[in-house]
Amino acid sequence: MSQHTGGSAPVADCPGGGRRGRPRSEAVEQAIFDAAVGLLESGLALADVSIEKIARTAGVGKATIYRRWPGKEELFVDLLRSVEPPDPVLPGTSLRDDFVVLLETMRQRGLAKRTSALLHSVFSQMQLYPKLWDAYHHTVIEPRRRMGLDAIRRGVERGEVRTDLDVELVNDLFVGPLLLRSIIRPGATLEPGLPEQIVDTIMDGLRPRV
């Protein structure tokens, strides 16, 4: 995502204005998103990023923002959705293959959070904004959790996983190490090959006993 700074030319968003080549609505929204990111990258805390500051940095009027979002939380919900990668496509060939893909997606997102001012700032403060946290949980966390649970259930049906195990617990065992390294221990390594190490270690305890 490119950064939009206050020194750039303002975005013309008034119908019938004198400027030619008026940007489409999508371009206006992108300028607003870029302004919000730029403010965070400048060192402002999420609590200090106001609609007024975003509007001034984007070169639009506050009314332009309020026509699209009722408030700052709703704006940041859409901003977070815009920077989230699409859900991975699981191969469906085995439980191991599915979770290697899922965990690799988590690893890449963990690396992105460390290098993105937007993600680092928003995630560190998100739970102070219940609407923002709930929306992120509903649109990102829960769908990916369901993908993991469905993969485990398929593994049980194929005989790859013992039938006496709680699928919720099994899912937590898989994703827990990457969550630990990404959130609780942000300085921990997220080296290539880590998903395979995690999956292979856990699979040893999941296979049916002979």
Side-chain angles (χ1 to χ4, degrees):
M1 180 179 293
S2 61
Q3 180 176 332
H4 182 96
T5 62
S8 301
V11 175
D13 62 313
C14 298
R19 293 184 60 189
R20 300 176 62 185
R22 175 176 172 268
R24 296 175 302 163
S25 175
E26 292 84 353
V28 175
E29 291 185 5
Q30 188 60 55
I32 293 168
F33 284 163
D34 289 348
V37 173
L39 289 168
L40 291 172
E41 289 177 340
S42 73
L44 281 182
L46 183 60
D48 297 326
V49 177
S50 65
I51 293 294
E52 182 177 4
K53 289 177 181 176
I54 294 172
R56 185 169 60 248
T57 304
V60 302
K62 288 192 294 183
T64 299
I65 296 179
Y66 283 120
R67 279 198 298 270
R68 290 165 171 80
W69 300 280
K72 182 175 74 173
E73 289 187 355
E74 290 82 3
L75 188 159
F76 272 96
V77 166
D78 281 352
L79 176 53
L80 280 176
R81 287 173 179 156
S82 76
V83 300
E84 276 291 335
D87 288 338
V89 176
L90 303 186
T93 49
S94 69
L95 179 62
R96 182 188 187 276
D97 292 345
D98 285 347
F99 263 94
V100 166
V101 171
L102 274 172
L103 297 192
E104 176 60 21
T105 300
M106 291 181 64
R107 188 183 76 87
Q108 293 292 338
R109 288 175 66 244
L111 291 171
K113 287 177 191 176
R114 293 180 182 181
T115 58
S116 166
L118 167 69
L119 293 175
H120 178 75
S121 179
V122 173
F123 276 89
S124 65
Q125 304 172 68
M126 189 185 294
Q127 295 192 41
L128 299 176
Y129 296 83
K131 189 182 298 183
L132 186 58
W133 173 249
D134 289 346
Y136 185 78
H137 194 272
H138 177 73
T139 60
V140 177
I141 296 177
E142 274 305 311
R144 289 175 183 170
R145 181 171 180 79
R146 286 194 296 271
M147 290 181 69
L149 295 174
D150 289 344
I152 295 166
R153 292 186 182 103
R154 290 194 298 270
V156 173
E157 292 171 359
R158 288 192 293 254
E160 299 170 287
V161 179
R162 290 167 21 213
T163 59
D164 62 319
L165 297 175
D166 181 345
V167 293
E168 294 269 357
L169 176 59
V170 172
N171 187 70
D172 291 345
L173 290 173
F174 277 120
V175 303
L178 271 169
L179 289 176
L180 176 71
R181 292 193 179 202
S182 300
I183 299 173
I184 300 175
R185 294 178 55 212
T189 59
L190 290 171
E191 68 273 14
L194 180 61
E196 289 86 349
Q197 294 178 43
I198 293 171
V199 172
D200 289 340
T201 299
I202 294 172
M203 285 297 299
D204 285 341
L206 299 182
R207 292 188 179 93
R209 294 164 180 162
V210 179

